Amino acid sequence: MTLSATMRCAALAVLLTACVAQREHEAFSPVELLDMDSYMDPNTPLAMDSAPCASNPCGQQQVETIPGELQKAYAKTESMAADLKKLLKSTRSWRGQMTDYLTKADKSIDDVRVAAADVTHDQEEVTKFLKTPGPPGPRGPKGRMGPKGRHGANGFPGDEGEEGRTGDAGVPGAPGAWGPAGSTGAEGATGMQGPLGRPGNPGLPGPVGKAGAEGARGRQGPAGNLGMEGPMGPSEVGPAGIVGPPGPEGPVGLPNVEGSPGEPGDEGHMGQPGPTGQHGPPGPPGSPGQMGPAGPAGSPGQAGQGGLAGPAGLGPRPAPAPPAPPAPAPAPAAAPAAAPAAAPAAAPAAGAAPAGGGYAAGAWPTGWCHPLDASCTALGIKDNMCGACTKTAGGFKLEEPKMGLRFAGASFDDNQIGTGSYQAMNICILAKYGNGGTITDPPTPNCGGSSNRGVASQVHWYGNCRKGDSSMASCCSNAVLLQSGFDWNKFAKGNRCSGDSDTDRVLGAVNCEFAPVGAYAAGAWPTGWCHKMSSTCSSLGVKDNMCGECKAWGNAGFSLEEHAMGLRYKGASFDDNQIGVGTYQAMNVCILAKYGNGGTIVDPPTDKCGGYSLAGAAKQVHWYGNCRKGDSSKASCCSNAALLQSGFDWDKFSKGNSCRGDGDTDRVLGKVECDFGKAPPPGAYSAGAWPTGWCHKLDSACTALGVKDNMCGTCTAWGNGGFQLAETKMGLRFNGASFDDNQNGAGTYQAMNICTLAKYGNGGTISIPPTTKCAGTTLYGGVASQVHWYGNCRKDDTRYTSCCSNAALLQSGFDWNKFSKGNRCGGDSDTDRVLGMVKCEFAPASKYKAGAWPAGWCYENDANCQVLGVKENMCGKCTPYGNGGFQLEEPVMGLRYKGTSFDDNQIGRGSYQAMNICILAKYGNGGTITKPPSVRCGGYSLGGAAKQVHWYGNCYKGDSREKHCCTNAELLQSGFNWDTFAKGNRCSGDGDTDRVLGKILCEF
């Protein structure tokens, strides 16, 4: 059927209502809007399908009611038609805009197609270019590996190649072929060298250098003129002249080098001979004359027994008659037996003794030699050395004016023979006691000799050395005074110790004088000018006055003084260094005087004791005392090192100026003043020698603080339940040794270990460990340095745990005595300033506590770690990080795995080493990796902590050649084994140490 325009609108309204209901909340498509125009065309028939009505039993009734319904809908349709017209108007405008947009879109599609074609062409060109690879760049030669030094800071990585420009987006093409690998960037510059390590242990001592050549001795000055000889009395020798004052002392020569003897000075003019004295009494009977027809003249005096008396000898022997012509040999029966020897007896052969042994002409050394007669033996002379013996006011004189005095075929040196010389005094000893004799009365300095002028020079015993030069005592007769049992034949002949053929004028005469033993009188060192022990000395409690005069001094003390040769003990003086008031040497000399060698010390000396050197006296060899007061390393050789203890032995000290002893001479000790105090009760805090002096007892204050060994210090509370030990005069000490003044600051292992020793005692069980607040303080100013326990090594240096107190923290049952003393593992005598104070604090027991590497300062793998999925926290504290990741950190000793740290190279963000450490932490060794680590993983080294041996990680990222040994070579895979990696800085492994890893950031 055909509907009117009105019906069409109504029908359209119904359709629109249905359409709106069906497509509520939906937008009309442009095509649907365009098709609606056909509904509004009145000329377009609208077909209505009547099939539904026909099939519907109620359809007839519905058709009949349509006009009424349409009337109701009409009113609504009118309003809707107006709205629809507005909608269609706007739709036509929108359709026009849409048409423009589609036109422009078609143009853009064409442009895109052209661009896609260009991209395809470019891609083909690139593919063609990439298929023709250029020659690889030359690879530089591999540098030789230098000797391994200490690690410097890491060099900067080489620059990566520039990234290519991103192309315009286009139609995705097929994946291009992989380009050749770019050349490896240049290696970064080597970082600055790290700080120098501690000095190494001193090497073995080098060989001792050869002794320097002997310097030339200065020329000897000319000898003074001989004084005129006084007139000789009837049988007495004139009084000895007054000894002139000694000349000024020359400048001290260079030490240890003695010059060779200079040439002898010119001899002074001989004085005029004095008038001839009266003839002495007749000489002793001569030897029996020889039987013969005409025997030689006998000596003046009585005729020899059995021989014919010779005429009185009035002058020199007449020259022998010329030999008679040879006579025929007599018959054997007619000639006497002695007749053939008569003719040659008239002229003695060269070198032969004069006939009959008398004083007569002859060759050296037997001619003109006076026999040892009754006048000599009456004066106590055992060897007159060919001289005539005469008595003097103080002794005797030996003189021979033709060939001089001699012994065993040699004369005596014409140098160093004057009055007071040791050579002259020793010649007197030889004359009085004979070679090897026992000396009872020593010679005095009045002994002196004089040389003979005009007599042929002869080889002589060596005597031209300095008086008192003990280094030449074995070869020179002027070096030292002879002792009982001496052997003169040990002296050299000539002018040097090694001996030579030097000849000198002979010794014409020697005057000898001796002093009785024990008298305070002139004499040779060390017996001359020596005061005997007197009743005054005994009343003052002196057991050894050391040749000094005893006087009361000070507070019940005494002084000893000797102003000529000085104080001495067993033939040696005392050092003129370190002898002033308060020195240990002065105090020890006082102990020796009061108690005697080896005595028991009841009252100790005070620091008022002091000594004074004697100016102007001859220098002597002395006991060694020139060392630092309190230097216990020299207590066995130096008298100033430590105070003597009861039962001491002074003889253990060296002589000279070194511990090994030498021939050094010093001014003698003229006076010592001694003062003694009352001995303090045992264990009292009082003055005394190291290590027992100024030592506080372990008292109730110490035990209340839990201290088992106060090491001579006072105990006071300090810190968090800790304590402080202090001693301000000699410092803290253990078993007679101080502690190292290096490596004893806050947090050092030495300070922490000293605290452990104090709290638990040697070998104790450690229940609460010390904290890093433990610290020591060195005692400065005026305190003697002492030998100390070795502590100057690096903290955590495991190579030194057996010898150095700073290497590792002590464990229960420790033995402090295993540590070395001095400044090396092998031990030495190094001394340091003492430790005056130590502060000690202890932490409550916990898992995270101080301890030795690698167990110390190690966090447990706690609940925080488990929540974050960490299976191996490597001693680090677990905290969240990033996108579901975690952070591990330990700020004292760093992260570690199986007792080993990680490489401080190649550990930055994105390195394979950092990513692999994160894998190890999250999955554990050998775990299954479900989520790979991201490139945000990175580690940070810990500055200031002790370096440790580490897993090897300093290789190139991605270097598959070292994947079996280096943690940075490639990423780990499931089931990995970390233990296959090397330790140190190479694949083969070494002992290289690096800074530890303090923190690692992990994200997956």
Side-chain angles (χ1 to χ4, degrees), residues 587-808:
M587 296 167 74
N588 285 334
V589 171
C590 289
I591 290 174
L592 176 63
K594 183 173 178 67
Y595 300 105
N597 193 37
T600 300
I601 303 170
V602 180
D603 295 331
T606 71
D607 54 9
K608 293 180 181 179
C609 298
Y612 304 90
S613 297
L614 182 61
K619 294 184 176 181
Q620 303 294 346
V621 171
H622 56 87
W623 297 100
Y624 174 41
N626 190 16
C627 62
R628 286 183 301 171
K629 178 181 177 181
D631 188 348
S632 56
S633 65
K634 295 187 177 180
S636 63
C637 62
C638 178
S639 61
N640 195 54
L643 281 177
L644 295 173
Q645 305 295 317
S646 293
F648 66 92
D649 181 11
W650 190 279
D651 300 341
K652 73 179 180 180
F653 295 135
S654 302
K655 293 178 183 177
N657 202 33
S658 61
C659 262
R660 62 181 178 274
D662 53 46
D664 181 66
T665 59
D666 272 354
R667 293 172 301 175
V668 295
L669 179 64
K671 182 180 180 181
V672 66
E673 296 170 339
C674 300
D675 184 74
F676 295 83
K678 291 298 180 183
Y685 180 70
S686 60
W690 174 272
T692 56
W694 301 116
C695 183
H696 293 280
K697 292 191 298 183
L698 184 72
D699 54 19
S700 58
C702 297
T703 54
L705 292 169
V707 176
K708 288 193 174 178
D709 194 325
N710 67 324
M711 296 174 283
C712 291
T714 58
C715 305
T716 54
W718 180 81
N720 184 19
F723 54 81
Q724 170 184 290
L725 304 180
E727 204 296 298
T728 59
K729 297 184 183 293
M730 286 187 170
L732 304 177
R733 65 214 87 153
F734 176 74
N735 272 5
S738 181
F739 301 95
D740 209 309
D741 65 350
N742 299 288
Q743 309 292 342
N744 65 5
T748 58
Y749 282 169
Q750 181 181 201
M752 297 168 73
N753 285 335
I754 292 171
C755 289
T756 299
L757 175 63
K759 183 173 179 67
Y760 300 105
N762 193 38
T765 301
I766 304 170
S767 56
I768 303 176
T771 72
T772 55
K773 291 183 179 179
C774 295
T777 304
T778 300
L779 190 58
Y780 294 89
V783 179
S785 294
Q786 302 293 347
V787 171
H788 55 87
W789 297 101
Y790 174 40
N792 191 16
C793 63
R794 287 185 302 170
K795 184 177 176 181
D796 283 317
D797 192 339
T798 55
R799 298 172 300 173
Y800 290 88
T801 53
S802 63
C803 62
C804 177
S805 60
N806 195 55

Side-chain angles (χ1 to χ4, degrees), residues 314-508:
L314 300 177
R317 183 189 301 273
Y359 180 71
W364 176 270
T366 57
W368 302 116
C369 181
H370 289 282
L372 183 70
D373 56 19
S375 63
C376 296
T377 56
L379 292 171
I381 296 172
K382 291 193 174 179
D383 193 325
N384 68 325
M385 295 173 284
C386 291
C389 306
T390 54
K391 183 180 180 181
T392 64
F396 57 81
K397 179 180 181 180
L398 301 180
E399 185 176 18
E400 205 299 298
K402 297 183 180 295
M403 285 188 173
L405 304 177
R406 66 214 86 156
F407 175 74
S411 181
F412 300 95
D413 209 311
D414 64 351
N415 298 288
Q416 310 291 345
I417 194 61
T419 302
S421 64
Y422 280 171
Q423 180 181 201
M425 297 168 74
N426 285 334
I427 292 172
C428 290
I429 290 174
L430 176 63
K432 182 173 178 66
Y433 300 105
N435 192 36
T438 300
I439 303 169
T440 55
D441 296 337
T444 73
N446 291 330
C447 298
S450 58
S451 299
N452 260 0
R453 173 180 289 277
V455 179
S457 295
Q458 301 293 346
V459 172
H460 57 87
W461 296 101
Y462 174 41
N464 190 15
C465 62
R466 287 181 302 166
K467 178 182 177 180
D469 188 349
S470 58
S471 65
M472 292 194 173
S474 63
C475 63
C476 178
S477 60
N478 194 54
V480 296
L481 283 177
L482 295 173
Q483 305 294 321
S484 294
F486 66 91
D487 180 12
W488 191 278
N489 295 300
K490 73 178 180 180
F491 294 135
K493 293 178 183 177
N495 204 31
R496 63 181 63 191
C497 259
S498 57
D500 56 36
S501 59
D502 180 67
T503 60
D504 274 354
R505 291 168 300 171
V506 295
L507 178 65

Side-chain angles (χ1 to χ4, degrees), residues 15 39 72 85 122 154 157 173 208 223 313 396 399 422 435 471 486 607 621 701 766 802 824 833 840 908 952 954:
L15 291 173
Y39 288 99
K72 294 178 182 179
K85 287 180 181 180
D122 292 342
N154 295 335
V208 178
F396 57 81
E399 185 176 18
Y422 280 171
N435 192 36
S471 65
F486 66 91
D607 54 9
V621 171
I766 304 170
S802 63
R824 63 177 66 190
R833 290 167 298 182
C840 300
Y952 172 42
N954 190 16

Side-chain angles (χ1 to χ4, degrees), residues 87-103:
L87 176 62
L88 291 176
K89 183 177 180 181
S90 62
T91 299
R92 289 191 181 97
S93 174
W94 180 83
R95 185 174 61 180
Q97 294 175 3
M98 192 66 176
T99 302
D100 293 340
Y101 168 78
L102 293 176
T103 301

